[in-house]
Amino acid sequence: MSLLALRAVTRTVIPQDQPALTILNGVDLQIEPGDHVSIVGRSGSGKSTLLNMLGLLDLPTSGEILFDDRPVRSYSSAQRDRLRGAAIGFVFQQFNLLPGRTALENVTMPLLYASGRTFWRRKRIAADMLALVGLEHRLNSMPDRLSGGEQQRVAIARSLVRGPRLILADEPTGALDLDTGQSVMELIDEVAVQTGAAQVIITHDPTIARRARRHFRLDRGVLTPVDDPSLEPLTRRDRREMAPAPEEAASTGTDELAVLGLGTATATATLPDPADSGPTDDARLDAPEGED
């Protein structure tokens, strides 16, 4: 049984007063449990749209998406939201941390939609996950008190704290230097191996793409398997988009990057039991803690 399958998926949008625009064209992709897939494509090739399909954020115009061999169209919108929260972890280039919450509270947020023992032990689980990424000493720090590298690690911990079955990473190293980017990918790989999660990495960077076991190229909405993720030379526009913005480079200095230590964290995270997953819509961050 496959974890996620796209069959002849197309996505078409109709801009105002414009002819229909096909963004994805007959995409076929099957993701198995524990799989590791890279997708390389230039700007405008449809990568973001494909990510939305894989993350169950959008439905295709035609074709079929199946999760655990069940058609995604058979789920209600609320059911898709719950499935996404329980089974899919997103890792993005931007941190998107909640500014008014500590590092621990940011990582705890996804666990508010768990149930049973996972919900009551949410702070312990979040703290263990932060220890895994080397931030056990920064639990109570606000995002504006963290370096750029530390914010990146908090964002990764938050994305992976529920032990997702599928990890979707969209340009996860785009704002980092080469060595730090490799360390980030090693961390994601470690968590994926620990949980048995499948990975889909969408990237411009052939160095990151080579880490995967299967490689695909997305070009003008058409997805094709390739043997060499290097593909063709990057355009100048691609290189500009891969470069970190000046403010991002300034916020992550050389000393901070040198002490990231993402690939050498020795703490062991206590990841949630998949059987405990399930929404509690009325959960709040200040709900009473249970006994550990």
Side-chain angles (χ1 to χ4, degrees), residues 43-94:
S43 300
S45 61
K47 297 193 304 295
S48 297
T49 301
L50 179 58
L51 183 77
N52 288 347
M53 298 289 152
L54 295 170
L56 312 184
L57 291 165
D58 291 330
L59 293 175
T61 304
S62 65
E64 189 173 42
I65 300 176
L66 300 97
F67 197 96
D68 284 339
D69 289 342
R70 177 180 171 182
V72 171
R73 288 187 187 276
S74 67
Y75 291 89
S76 68
S77 177
Q79 287 174 327
R80 287 201 309 274
D81 291 344
R82 288 195 289 268
L83 176 61
R84 185 187 315 112
I88 301 176
F90 293 85
V91 180
F92 297 106
Q93 178 179 342
Q94 302 302 321

Side-chain angles (χ1 to χ4, degrees), residues 26-222:
V27 170
D28 292 302
L29 180 62
Q30 186 158 308
I31 308 297
E32 305 293 340
D35 214 343
H36 193 177
V37 172
S38 69
I39 298 173
V40 177
R42 296 185 175 188
S43 300
S45 61
K47 297 193 304 295
S48 297
T49 301
L50 179 58
L51 183 77
N52 288 347
M53 298 289 152
L54 295 170
L56 312 184
L57 291 165
D58 291 330
L59 293 175
T61 304
S62 65
E64 189 173 42
I65 300 176
L66 300 97
F67 197 96
D68 284 339
D69 289 342
R70 177 180 171 182
V72 171
R73 288 187 187 276
S74 67
Y75 291 89
S76 68
S77 177
Q79 287 174 327
R80 287 201 309 274
D81 291 344
R82 288 195 289 268
L83 176 61
R84 185 187 315 112
I88 301 176
F90 293 85
V91 180
F92 297 106
Q93 178 179 342
Q94 302 302 321
F95 313 132
N96 297 319
L97 299 179
L98 298 173
R101 303 288 189 179
T102 65
L104 180 63
E105 289 171 333
N106 266 279
V107 177
T108 301
M109 292 298 287
L111 298 175
L112 293 176
Y113 298 92
S115 63
R117 186 176 60 179
T118 297
F119 175 75
W120 294 114
R121 299 185 70 247
R122 62 194 182 277
K123 288 188 177 180
R124 173 68 61 83
I125 294 169
D128 287 347
M129 192 69 206
L130 282 166
L132 179 64
V133 300
L135 290 178
E136 61 273 17
H137 61 297
R138 298 294 253 158
L139 301 183
N140 297 314
S141 298
M142 293 292 184
D144 62 357
R145 297 295 182 180
L146 299 173
S147 69
E150 289 172 331
Q151 291 183 51
Q152 176 84 328
R153 285 185 278 168
V154 173
I156 291 172
R158 183 181 61 184
S159 299
L160 306 182
V161 71
R162 293 194 71 176
R165 298 171 61 198
L166 174 63
I167 299 170
L168 299 178
D170 184 16
E171 303 288 359
T173 63
L176 303 173
D177 65 44
L178 180 60
D179 290 340
T180 305
Q182 291 293 339
S183 296
V184 166
M185 296 310 302
E186 287 171 10
L187 172 61
I188 296 172
D189 289 347
E190 287 173 12
V191 175
V193 169
Q194 184 176 352
T195 63
Q199 297 181 67
V200 178
I201 310 298
I202 295 179
T203 180
H204 281 88
D205 187 348
T207 303
I208 299 301
R210 288 191 190 100
R211 300 179 64 92
R213 291 189 292 273
R214 294 197 294 143
H215 313 287
F216 293 84
R217 174 189 178 188
L218 186 64
D219 185 22
R220 299 180 183 179
V222 177

